[in-house]
Amino acid sequence: MLKPRLAILVSVCLLSAATCLWATTRKAGLWELTTTMTWQQSPLPAGIIPPGGEPHTTLVCLTQQQLDKYGSVLPQVAGCQISNVVAKANSVTADMVCSGKMSGKGTLESSWSDDSHATGTVHFLGSIQVGADSKTIEWTNHSSSVFKSADCGAVKPTPPAQ
């Protein structure tokens, strides 16, 4: 039961890292996103190492419509909402508030020096339901993204955020 919850949590982290793709000055198309998650407080018992620590690379398709409407591919995490978005010329910050099996608050930051590269950080503090217990969690996800192509090929765009 613990493993499916951790898989969900890791998915949250990876999807949250997609926020490193913010900004209307960015190129629409295929981006390579590399994320590394570290735990400050794991829900697992002492001695069990949680997933994370190793870089994870994935491809993300960013459409012009997403850039025009949201400025980014927003994380698609069940029970989480993005708010307080503050966009500047070369950076953006926002909050991610989650409720449900995982609850708490994250801060998202992203910056870029040109239209083809970005870095980002998500820091989350909250709790996750593990059986009948609620466990405190804290993690940080660092990411970098590089534009690959205007053609996304077989990679489908992430649906718009709700």
Side-chain angles (χ1 to χ4, degrees):
M1 184 124 177
L2 186 58
K3 284 190 177 206
R5 295 198 194 281
L6 282 176
I8 290 169
L9 184 59
V10 170
S11 296
V12 167
C13 299
L14 295 174
L15 291 171
S16 297
T19 59
C20 83
L21 297 175
W22 291 82
T24 57
T25 59
R26 309 294 286 290
K27 295 178 183 177
L30 188 65
W31 287 78
E32 182 178 78
L33 175 67
T34 301
T35 60
T36 304
M37 180 180 159
T38 56
W39 288 90
Q40 287 76 52
Q41 187 160 356
S42 167
L44 296 177
I48 298 177
I49 300 172
E54 296 295 321
H56 175 78
T57 300
T58 189
L59 296 174
V60 178
C61 183
L62 180 61
T63 68
Q64 189 60 51
Q65 292 81 9
Q66 288 167 321
L67 287 170
D68 293 344
K69 188 167 184 177
Y70 301 107
S72 168
V73 172
L74 297 178
Q76 299 294 302
V77 181
C80 296
Q81 301 293 321
I82 304 296
S83 62
N84 302 323
V85 177
V86 177
K88 297 182 180 175
N90 293 320
S91 66
V92 68
T93 59
D95 294 326
M96 180 176 75
V97 178
C98 302
S99 59
K101 292 185 189 300
M102 182 178 78
S103 61
K105 183 176 178 182
T107 55
L108 309 129
E109 301 176 7
S110 183
S111 62
W112 50 91
S113 57
D114 59 41
D115 62 358
S116 299
H117 300 87
T119 58
T121 301
V122 178
H123 181 256
F124 186 85
L125 178 61
S127 63
I128 190 167
Q129 198 67 34
V130 179
D133 298 328
S134 180
K135 303 284 186 175
T136 300
I137 58 172
E138 182 177 5
W139 49 262
T140 303
N141 197 347
H142 296 283
S143 60
S144 63
S145 60
V146 178
F147 179 76
K148 291 299 188 183
S149 169
D151 180 7
C152 289
V155 178
K156 302 292 181 210
T158 303
Q162 301 297 323

